[in-house]
Amino acid sequence: MPDTKNYTGGCHCGQVRYDVTADLGSVVACNCSICTKRGALWIFVTPENFALRAGTDDLVDYQFNKKVIHHLFCGQCGVGSFSRGQGPGGAEMIAINVRCLDGVDLTALKLQPFDGKNL
Ligand SMILES: [Zn+2]
């Protein structure tokens, strides 16, 4: 059953802040090269459910491989709190790093392994 809630989140230093509406019922733990190194845990939302409140000018874009995903991170503290990309069918999707949301009990999350390494 969907359990959609409003969350706030952002980077470590506070320059990058956002609001997001999401269901944390299933969180993706990807094993690709960048997710492994970052330790990111992901949920995916549509642009209507995401609002960047601060930090547009502080974001640095990192791209690699096919360059379809914008792995944005804060130029001041280096934390990648969200990424922008396209879902299946080309629609814009925002990937939220659940570790960067405020007040979330990370130990209570149900993790869904994703084999990004072998895509
Ligand atoms: Zn920061």
Side-chain angles (χ1 to χ4, degrees), residues 57-78:
D57 296 340
D58 299 297
L59 289 167
V60 181
D61 193 3
Y62 174 62
Q63 293 196 286
F64 67 100
N65 197 6
K66 293 174 192 162
K67 304 200 171 172
V68 289
I69 305 173
H70 297 272
H71 301 274
L72 302 163
F73 63 92
C74 171
Q76 184 156 285
C77 69

Side-chain angles (χ1 to χ4, degrees), residues 15-70:
Q15 296 271 102
V16 177
R17 294 293 301 164
Y18 54 73
D19 297 336
V20 61
T21 304
D23 176 6
L24 300 189
S26 179
V27 172
V28 172
C30 177
N31 65 359
C32 82
S33 58
I34 190 164
C35 291
T36 298
K37 286 184 185 273
R38 277 187 169 179
L41 299 172
W42 302 108
I43 48 161
F44 300 91
V45 301
T46 55
E48 308 86 74
N49 290 308
F50 176 81
L52 186 62
R53 298 295 182 204
T56 307
D57 296 340
D58 299 297
L59 289 167
V60 181
D61 193 3
Y62 174 62
Q63 293 196 286
F64 67 100
N65 197 6
K66 293 174 192 162
K67 304 200 171 172
V68 289
I69 305 173
H70 297 272

